[in-house]
Amino acid sequence: MTLKITAPALLTVLVLSAPGISVETTRLGDFGAKDFSAGQMQDVYVDRDGRLVLGPRSYEIMGDVDHAWCAAVGPGGTVYVGTVPDGRVYRVREGKSEVFFDTKEAGVFSIALLPDGRAVAGTGSEGKVWIISPDGDGKVLADLDEKYVFALAVEKAGSILAATGADAGRVYRLSVAAPEAAKPVKKAPGGAADAPKDAADAPEEAATDAAENDGAAMPELLWESPGKYLLALALGPKGRIYAASGDKGAVYEAGRGKARVLFSAPQGVVQALAVGADGTVYAATAALAEPKPGAEEAAVKSILSEVQARRAASTASPAPAALPTRRTYKVTNVIYSLQPAGSVRKIFSIRGGLVLTLLVQDGRLLAGTAGKAGIYSVPLDGGRAARIYKCESDCVHDITACPSGGFVAALGMPGKVVRFQDDYARKGVFTSRVLAAGDLARWGRIQWDAAVPTATLLTFDVRAGNTPKPDSTWTEWETVTPVPADAEGPLGEGAGGARGEGRLALSPSRYVQYRVGFATASGEATASIKSVAVTALPINLPPEVASISAGKKASKGAAPGKAGAGAGRGTTSSNPGPPQALSGTVTISWKAEDPNGDKMRYDLAFRDADMKRFITLEEDLSSGEYKWDTTSVPDGAYYFRVEADDAPSNPEGTTLQSTKVEGPFTVDNTAPATGKPKVTAAAGGACLVEVEAVDAASPLGKAYWSVDGGKWRPLFPVDGIFDSRRESLSVEVGDADAMIVVIRVVDRAGNQAAVKALLEGPTEK
């Protein structure tokens, strides 16, 4: 994005972008389809080019059912809807919906319209085909002795094709008499007629049979598949009949009592078919899980058992009081393009969703899904698909074209029917995901790359807060006033291409969110957005020195407030244990952090307990440690001060600092003093050796004793604990031949002294 930057702003950017500068202006935002998809969309979507645009104009025309399973639209715009699990056909016209016909079955799974305006419905679980007159009078056209009629199609000659499933996947042809001649169906012997001896795709012969049977439909078994479920039918050029298998994963071309397999999908469940004008067949899969033996039939049975369960649990109201949790699927389903020449390729895939219905319209393929429920616009050439409608219901069962343009979608759980026009929604809203600055930040501008044709409009609102999810503590939405961003043209109506921006008057905070309002006057054009960015400058915060330690080894990596040196090797005032005195050359180390991640420099100083001012040891240190020779000062108690600032990462005049003082730390370079040993006789011929030890600066910490130059053994004070600068020590020697005893004492700084006691004869009895 090209930004217009004034001279002072340019200077600031150059300074903040210089090497070593840590507090820099950052750009948060959405820069393509993936980012936009994380936001909330109302009547907008991300198109195939990754731009935000208005969606098609849509409105709900029917609701209050569990599943609107199938739909058909008549020439006048009247919509017929089959529902599950109540088995009704609804009619929607002039903005009102009504129960048109009740089959009293578990569900209406397929519906079609005849040229004369009558509706045909396929049901389950009794497998009947009903024909319903325009006044709502319904009769059984054929009882197929099957459980489910999953798909219907009307041939040019007016005959009906029906695909069944459960016991066997079969395709039947049903002839339909004129309305005045329709009579109750006469079933063929055994419940289904044999396939014709001549061409199986001859509707004229079926019509003759119907006339000979008083106008009733004589079901003709056109073809029986190897599987148990045929879930979809589609008609192609030259009267070709295509069928989809729900348990074999096959796409068949049926005719003359047999069929050929066009393609077998590895997913095992082909749920939907559509045929393009050039004869290309599109097949969509709806596997519930990754393929494994028996998974195909299990998938279909799972759907049907769920339908039956809903029917059994339903009350007088078909809509449940509480909706179930939306189902998720750990599987990838695909739409395949089967070319007339025989080639097959994937043109769409969805991870975690099912493809339930297809419609070829206006040079694109519309796909209705479950799992990731919605309607996708899929280019026929296999380009990037766009979800043009995000569904609040669990699934999109059916999409059917409207003769006047646009389409109707039948949704499930909750069941509703939505009408989509072929123009744009008049307005829409996109709300971005929450954008995180990380640290407390000042907000600069919001910038966007957009196209704004004549009669369209974009508006921007922003809000900010300090919680990851917006709540009552956030600011209210504030409208952004646009300002020209560059010389390509002003932002607004009629601008064409526009890079726009607006200043943000938000308080410093950690999170920001933007909202875009789309509007169009005619529905013939829409504004589009390629990217949106918000500039933020983290507020510089002072560094913090968490702890100071001193000892023979540096406390590298110490957490704030915790000593890094091990016991006996160093000291820190944050250590709850007894302090260890310092002697010789030690390392003073400190743990410091900067909230902005700035580089830091340090000044180190010290003083003793009687001094009022600190003496500088070193300035401008870049690391968190310093080696100090304690022999340069007298024994005693000392305090250390560390001053940290963020000057290496910030311009002069903007640096911040903090100071920490810790102590006292005891310096002790003088060895303990011992008195003259006292040797007395003990019981059994043993000798008792006693000695007094004292240290001028630090408590005594350890003692050892040895007989005649032998192994050193630990020795504890008479009172059992080293806890003062003066301790009484004694040891009983039981070896009558021993000559000397050496006692060694060590103070907490590591200074030590030894004293020898002669055992050649006791000095006292």
Side-chain angles (χ1 to χ4, degrees), residues 72-204:
V73 185
T78 300
V79 181
Y80 298 88
V81 182
T83 63
V84 174
D86 54 9
R88 294 171 179 169
V89 175
Y90 286 77
R91 182 172 63 184
V92 185
R93 60 179 178 180
E94 298 178 355
K96 297 181 180 180
S97 64
E98 60 182 348
V99 177
F100 185 53
F101 181 73
D102 191 346
T103 68
K104 307 296 185 182
E105 294 194 51
V108 175
F109 293 91
S110 53
I111 196 165
L113 295 179
L114 297 173
D116 58 24
R118 289 180 293 172
V120 182
T123 64
S125 57
E126 297 182 14
K128 296 177 182 178
V129 177
W130 297 78
I131 187 164
I132 310 167
S133 66
D135 60 3
D137 182 21
K139 296 180 175 63
V140 175
L141 179 64
D143 186 343
L144 301 177
D145 265 0
E146 307 282 0
K147 286 188 177 180
Y148 295 94
V149 179
F150 285 119
L152 293 171
V154 179
E155 296 181 293
K156 288 184 178 180
S159 56
I160 300 169
L161 298 176
T164 67
D167 294 329
R170 300 185 177 101
V171 177
Y172 291 89
R173 174 179 281 133
L174 308 175
S175 62
V176 184
E180 62 274 15
K183 293 184 179 180
V185 65
K186 290 186 179 180
K187 294 174 60 176
D194 294 332
K197 296 179 180 180
D198 297 324
D201 53 355
E204 293 81 3

Side-chain angles (χ1 to χ4, degrees), residues 15 81 150 332 348 374-375 395 420 450 475 503 601 606 614 624 754:
V15 170
V81 182
F150 285 119
T332 298
F348 174 78
I375 299 175
C395 50
F420 292 83
T475 65
R503 296 183 181 90
R601 68 180 183 185
F606 80 100
F614 279 88

Side-chain angles (χ1 to χ4, degrees), residues 260-458:
R260 68 186 182 99
V261 176
L262 297 183
F263 174 67
S264 290
Q267 290 78 9
V269 180
V270 178
Q271 176 73 34
L273 295 174
V275 181
D278 63 350
T280 299
V281 178
Y282 301 95
T285 69
L288 300 183
E290 296 296 346
K292 60 181 180 180
E296 302 87 350
E297 184 173 353
V300 179
K301 286 183 176 179
S302 174
I303 296 173
L304 297 179
S305 62
E306 183 174 339
V307 169
Q308 295 288 12
R310 292 193 192 284
R311 178 173 173 81
S314 64
T315 61
S317 172
L323 300 181
T325 303
R326 176 171 291 186
R327 191 168 181 178
T328 56
Y329 306 93
K330 296 181 179 180
V331 64
T332 298
N333 282 292
V334 174
I335 299 176
Y336 294 95
S337 171
L338 316 181
Q339 301 294 317
S343 62
V344 178
R345 63 190 182 102
K346 298 178 184 179
I347 62 171
F348 174 78
S349 63
I350 180 170
R351 177 67 183 172
L354 318 179
V355 184
L356 302 182
T357 182
L358 297 175
L359 173 67
V360 176
Q361 187 182 67
D362 299 332
R364 62 180 176 173
L365 186 65
L366 296 173
T369 61
K372 294 181 178 178
I375 299 175
Y376 290 80
S377 176
V378 182
L380 299 181
D381 61 4
R384 183 185 179 278
R387 182 157 67 171
I388 64 174
Y389 177 70
K390 187 175 182 179
C391 187
E392 294 181 357
S393 298
D394 279 3
C395 50
V396 178
H397 285 300
D398 195 15
I399 301 174
T400 186
C402 297
S404 60
F407 59 92
V408 163
L411 315 181
M413 212 58 211
K416 61 179 69 175
V417 180
V418 180
R419 173 73 161 94
F420 292 83
Q421 303 286 358
D422 55 5
D423 57 353
Y424 292 107
R426 296 302 183 266
K427 59 182 180 179
V429 177
F430 172 77
T431 304
S432 77
R433 60 200 170 114
V434 173
L435 306 175
D439 298 317
L440 198 66
R442 289 191 294 269
W443 306 106
R445 297 191 177 199
I446 182 171
Q447 302 161 331
W448 55 86
D449 190 354
V452 189
T454 301
T456 68
L457 185 67
L458 291 175

